[in-house]
Amino acid sequence: MAWIVLLAAAAFEIAFALSLKPSEGFSRLWPTAGVLVFGVISVALLAKTLERLPVGTAYAIWTGVGSVGVVTLGIILFDEPITPVRLASIALIVTGVIGLRLAGAD
């Protein structure tokens, strides 16, 4: 169950980060509200997972899944460039997340 909550926390982390760009420096109300709401939910869910998962593992997976999601959606939504270095970096993050999941407590 903690792993599902951690994935939900990462999904809200992605929504949080993607809301930053349309907020235009916190000058637009609704995207700014999204940044705040998504950020608070993400951190609250992450904190909940720490009751069952090691902090280092949970935090690394939360940021890793969030990073991969933001980069991937940045490419899709914001027309950010796809380069071999970016793709290799995503692969390294995914490898690290899988490794931490395999080595982490259930």
Side-chain angles (χ1 to χ4, degrees):
M1 181 67 172
W3 290 103
I4 293 170
V5 175
L6 183 57
L7 291 177
F12 279 101
E13 172 73 3
I14 293 166
F16 157 79
L18 291 176
S19 297
L20 288 168
K21 187 171 182 116
S23 79
E24 296 178 6
F26 303 116
S27 66
R28 296 182 59 223
L29 177 62
W30 294 115
T32 298
V35 169
L36 296 172
V37 169
F38 296 142
V40 167
I41 292 171
S42 178
V43 171
L45 290 173
L46 174 63
K48 185 70 176 161
T49 67
L50 299 180
E51 295 171 1
R52 299 201 25 117
L53 300 175
V55 66
T57 301
Y59 183 75
I61 290 174
W62 178 65
T63 58
V65 171
S67 296
V68 170
V70 170
V71 170
T72 303
L73 288 171
I75 290 168
I76 294 167
L77 300 174
F78 301 126
D79 228 14
E80 293 177 357
I82 302 171
T83 65
V85 172
R86 289 184 104 192
L87 295 176
S89 298
I90 290 170
L92 287 170
I93 294 169
V94 170
T95 301
V97 166
I98 290 169
L100 286 169
R101 171 59 182 103
L102 294 173
D106 286 325

